[in-house]
């Protein structure tokens, strides 16, 4: 009889917790307390407590023994570890910190996003119309809301709340809207850049216009090929600028609606009247961005002379060893920047300039109220090559007394204050000795795109947009020549297996 009683008590110690767990699992699935789930948990708990009561003396005796003490220590250690892990999880939730180990910082909000969202002056609604949650979007919105309380986000099932779907003219599941009052944008994707572009469009009251000169063989905005400026145009439109080509030869003056005038790599000279138009536009508080390549003369010397800026007739060569893959010594890498809003966020990123010329402040003692800043400085191992065609690029050497030694300035910004019709105005001018740094092929590389966009932002007096832009993933594909592929095949199929077998044979021989 004692044996049966002991067996029953042992069985109750096992079956009791099992019944209680089964009852809780049923409740978790149904989310309703039904009589049988309560009965299972109650019965299981009673059986477990009964097994403890009937075996209490044995339990005390067990814990007084050596094995019991070891088991108690193990249990206490386990509880301590669980408590520590729980505290660490709580601290991680309470003081959230995330580490982004990607090369491009793909999962870290860009400086531009932090500035735009952090400085919002209007309440912005972001609504996802879908049946299912978008966890990635929800996580991104949590980061946005951490930057500003003016951001709100919610997911709405259009079938459950059709009146809200009708209010925003939603027609498909998965649609996302960004709204400020009656102004609504519908980004095609929900990545960081698309959301920021939509936020800028619904929060900005005026669409500023960036005009690009034509008629002098400048870079083509419509060209999507490597040397075109389609990437420039797309990024300007994404940041809520209107882009318009202008042919000054057919006009009497620079259009007044041009907030910024850009001349991107003119190969042909401006007509005298065009040069006068640009000078007059600047005198009236205009904003101009000139990108002038080596071995070209746009005939804008009179304008630059008034602004005390000099364009050297040279080609910058840099033998510092710092170069972007695929470029040579005539594509200087810049890591030194002047103190200026355009470059203040570029301190930790490089820019490079394929075939650039020197642009520097002039020697005039009286600058006529012009404030100049050298924006971009090359390394000490660079110089301004004045002999363009006598040698191949890789054979070029510094000619002492003839070539200017580095560091050299590639870009200059200038400001001048004045009055027009008794109104205070500030004219702004930026000159960079290269236009190729912003072509489609180079715009997304290093800090080149950010430099171009920051310059336009500063000229357009949109300083809050000046920053490092969100990044995209870099292609990591490996491209090999036929000889490299053959070498790799021999290494993988022949030499490495033979080396492993040889090492094994040597170890066997030594131990024999």
């Amino acid at each position: 009889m004692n044996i049966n009683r002991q067996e029953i008590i042992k069985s109750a110690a096992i079956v009791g917790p099992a019944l209680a767990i089964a009852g809780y699992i049923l409740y978790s699935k149904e989310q309703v307390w039904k009589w049988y789930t309560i009965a299972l948990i109650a019965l299981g708990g009673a059986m477990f407590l009964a097994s403890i009561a009937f075996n209490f003396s044995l339990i005390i005796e067990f814990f007084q023994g050596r094995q019991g003490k070891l088991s108690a220590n193990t249990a206490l250690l386990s509880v301590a570890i669980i408590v520590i892990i729980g505290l660490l999880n709580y601290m991680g939730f309470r003081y959230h910190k995330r580490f982004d180990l990607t090369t491009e910082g793909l999962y870290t909000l860009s400086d531009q996003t932090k500035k735009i969202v952090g400085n919002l002056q209007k309440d912005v609604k972001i609504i996802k119309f879908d049946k299912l949650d978008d966890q990635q979007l929800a996580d991104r919105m949590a980061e946005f809301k951490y930057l500003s309380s003016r951001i709100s986000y919610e997911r709405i099932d259009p079938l459950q709340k059709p009146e809200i779907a009708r209010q925003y003219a939603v027609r498909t599941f998965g649609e996302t809207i960004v709204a400020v009052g009656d102004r609504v944008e519908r980004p095609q994707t929900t990545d960081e850049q698309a959301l920021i572009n939509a936020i800028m469009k619904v929060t900005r009251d005026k669409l500023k216009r960036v005009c690009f000169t034509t008629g002098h063989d400048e870079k083509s905005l419509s060209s999507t090929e490597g040397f075109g400026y389609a990437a420039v145009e797309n990024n300007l439109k994404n940041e809520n600028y209107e882009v318009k080509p202008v042919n000054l030869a057919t006009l009497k003056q620079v259009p007044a609606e041009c907030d910024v005038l850009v001349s991107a790599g003119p190969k042909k000279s401006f007509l005298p009247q065009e040069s006068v138009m640009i000078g007059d536009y600047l005198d009236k508080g205009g904003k101009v961005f000139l990108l002038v390549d080596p071995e070209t003369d746009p005939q804008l010397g009179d304008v630059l002379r008034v602004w005390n800026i000099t364009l050297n007739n040279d080609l910058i060569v840099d033998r510092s060893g710092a170069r972007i893959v695929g470029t040579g010594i005539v594509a200087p890498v810049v890591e030194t920047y002047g103190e200026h809003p355009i470059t203040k966020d570029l301190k930790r990123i490089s820019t490079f300039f394929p075939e650039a010329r020197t642009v520097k402040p002039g020697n005039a003692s009286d600058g006529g109220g012009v404030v100049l800043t050298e924006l971009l400085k090359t390394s000490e191992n660079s110089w301004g090559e004045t002999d363009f065609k006598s040698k191949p690029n890789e054979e070029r050497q510094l000619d002492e007394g003839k070539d200017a030694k580095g560091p050299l300035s590639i870009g200059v910004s200038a400001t001048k204050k004045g009055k027009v019709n008794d109104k205070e105005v500030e004219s702004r001018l930026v000159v960079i000795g290269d236009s190729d740094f912003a072509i489609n092929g180079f715009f997304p590389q290093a800090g080149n795109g950010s430099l171009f966009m920051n310059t336009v932002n500063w000229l357009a007096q949109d300083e809050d947009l000046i920053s490092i832009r969100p990044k995209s993933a870099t292609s990591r594909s490996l491209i090999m020549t036929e000889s490299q592929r053959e070498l790799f095949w021999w290494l993988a199929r022949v030499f490495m297996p033979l080396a492993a077998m040889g090492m094994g044979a040597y170890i066997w021989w030594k131990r024999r």
Side-chain angles (χ1 to χ4, degrees):
M1 184 69 181
N2 289 336
I3 296 175
N4 290 338
R5 183 184 174 206
Q6 291 297 324
E7 291 294 332
I8 291 172
I9 291 172
K10 288 182 180 179
S11 299
I14 298 172
V15 174
L19 290 174
I21 291 170
Y24 182 75
I25 291 173
L26 286 173
Y27 165 73
S28 299
K29 290 181 66 177
E30 299 176 358
Q31 294 294 311
V32 177
W33 287 108
K34 296 185 177 179
W35 69 267
Y36 50 83
T37 59
I38 297 173
L40 282 172
I41 292 174
L43 179 60
M47 291 176 68
F48 182 66
L49 292 174
S51 67
I52 292 176
F54 283 111
N55 283 297
F56 191 73
S57 59
L58 293 175
I59 292 171
I60 295 297
E61 183 181 342
F62 171 77
F63 279 108
Q64 287 177 343
R66 182 174 178 276
Q67 186 177 357
K69 290 178 180 179
L70 289 173
S71 299
N73 289 337
T74 303
L76 287 172
L77 182 61
S78 300
V79 170
I81 291 173
I82 292 171
V83 169
I84 291 170
I85 293 173
L87 286 173
L88 289 174
N89 274 278
Y90 172 77
M91 295 296 288
F93 175 79
R94 187 77 173 81
Y95 304 100
H96 177 65
K97 180 66 177 175
R98 194 174 65 169
F99 297 95
D100 186 354
L101 300 180
T102 59
T103 304
E104 300 86 356
L106 297 177
Y107 303 108
T108 301
L109 293 181
S110 68
D111 292 343
Q112 184 191 52
T113 296
K114 293 174 183 177
K115 283 186 177 182
I116 293 171
V117 177
N119 294 328
L120 283 175
Q121 302 299 315
K122 299 178 181 178
D123 293 331
V124 179
K125 289 183 180 179
I126 299 177
I127 305 174
K128 175 84 170 185
F129 289 91
D130 209 342
K131 285 186 174 182
L132 303 175
D133 288 325
D134 185 338
Q135 191 58 49
Q136 188 175 16
L137 177 59
D139 291 343
R140 184 170 289 118
M141 288 299 97
E143 294 187 73
F144 276 33
K145 286 191 283 187
Y146 179 77
L147 296 173
S148 173
S149 60
R150 289 189 174 275
I151 289 279
S152 66
Y153 168 72
E154 63 178 323
R155 178 190 64 82
I156 292 178
D157 185 342
L159 296 180
Q160 293 183 357
K161 296 183 178 179
E163 69 282 1
I164 300 180
R166 284 195 296 271
Q167 176 186 345
Y168 292 105
V170 173
R171 293 183 173 83
T172 60
F173 282 101
E175 193 169 338
T176 302
I177 65 101
V178 178
V180 172
D182 295 332
R183 300 181 67 178
V184 177
E185 282 294 320
R186 305 171 191 275
Q188 297 300 307
T189 64
T190 55
D191 59 32
E192 181 184 346
Q193 185 68 73
L195 290 170
I196 286 300
N197 293 340
I199 289 172
M200 286 193 294
K201 288 178 180 177
V202 296
T203 55
R204 294 191 174 271
D205 298 323
K206 181 178 180 292
L207 200 65
K208 292 189 177 181
R209 179 173 292 179
V210 181
C211 298
F212 283 76
T213 63
T214 62
H216 315 92
D217 200 12
E218 294 95 336
K219 294 290 189 294
S220 172
L221 289 170
S222 60
S223 175
T224 57
E225 296 181 356
F227 284 90
Y229 256 38
V232 166
E233 181 179 27
N234 291 336
N235 278 269
L236 286 171
K237 289 180 177 178
N238 285 340
E239 293 198 5
N240 210 24
Y241 291 106
E242 183 180 349
V243 180
K244 180 183 178 182
V246 293
N247 188 337
L248 299 181
T250 64
L251 304 171
K252 294 183 179 179
Q253 62 181 11
V254 176
E257 63 267 22
C258 290
D259 294 287
V260 179
L261 180 68
V262 182
S263 182
K267 293 183 175 64
K268 308 296 183 184
S269 301
F270 282 82
L271 297 173
Q273 63 267 31
E274 293 178 294
S275 177
V276 171
M277 288 182 201
I278 295 174
D280 290 343
Y281 173 70
L282 282 168
D283 289 340
K284 295 175 182 177
K287 315 294 189 292
V288 176
F289 187 10
L290 299 178
L291 301 98
V292 187
D293 295 310
E295 298 188 78
T296 63
D297 183 7
Q299 292 294 317
L300 293 174
D302 291 340
V303 175
L304 298 178
R305 196 172 300 111
V306 170
W307 284 78
N308 195 25
I309 294 175
T310 300
L311 280 176
N312 282 9
N313 186 27
D314 61 5
L315 174 69
I316 296 177
V317 179
D318 191 343
R319 287 195 176 275
S320 64
R323 64 182 68 172
I324 303 299
V325 175
T327 64
I329 62 173
V330 293
V333 173
V334 169
E335 296 177 331
T336 303
Y337 302 96
E339 293 297 326
H340 195 276
I342 292 173
T343 54
K344 67 183 178 67
D345 288 327
L346 293 175
K347 303 295 184 182
R348 59 186 185 273
I349 191 169
S350 301
T351 49
F352 66 97
F353 301 85
E355 298 194 352
R357 72 195 300 170
T358 303
V359 182
K360 62 180 183 178
N363 297 319
S365 57
D366 180 12
V370 177
V371 179
L372 297 167
T373 302
E374 293 182 338
L375 298 175
L376 312 159
K377 298 299 287 288
T378 62
S379 74
E380 293 182 354
N381 294 317
S382 63
W383 70 89
E385 179 72 48
T386 54
D387 188 358
F388 290 97
K389 299 177 180 179
S390 63
K391 297 177 182 177
N393 286 337
E394 293 301 327
E395 296 180 10
R396 295 183 185 276
Q397 298 294 331
L398 171 66
D399 293 330
E400 294 285 354
K402 184 178 179 182
D403 299 331
K405 194 176 185 308
L408 301 173
S409 171
I410 296 180
V412 172
S413 73
T415 60
K416 183 168 62 173
K417 293 183 178 180
K419 282 189 176 183
V420 176
N421 299 327
D422 294 327
K423 181 182 178 182
E424 290 283 348
V425 297
E426 182 181 71
S427 305
R428 295 183 175 185
L429 171 65
V430 175
V431 184
I432 293 180
D434 175 43
S435 67
D436 291 333
F437 79 94
I439 60 176
N440 297 329
F442 295 143
F443 188 92
Q445 296 190 35
N448 287 19
S450 289
L451 172 64
F452 188 97
M453 297 300 297
N454 287 356
T455 303
V456 174
N457 295 154
W458 179 73
L459 290 168
Q461 296 179 299
D462 286 332
E463 279 86 352
D464 58 323
L465 297 183
I466 296 175
S467 57
I468 304 298
R469 270 69 184 172
K471 307 170 188 68
S472 57
T474 301
S475 173
R476 302 294 183 188
S477 58
L478 177 64
I479 302 173
M480 295 186 291
T481 63
E482 288 298 325
S483 59
Q484 289 172 329
R485 290 179 188 176
E486 187 175 349
L487 175 60
F488 184 78
W489 187 93
W490 281 100
L491 284 172
R493 301 291 182 88
V494 179
F495 294 116
M496 291 178 68
L498 285 176
M501 288 188 289
M503 184 65 69
Y506 173 76
I507 293 172
W508 172 80
W509 178 262
K510 294 289 288 183
R511 291 181 177 179
R512 186 174 59 88

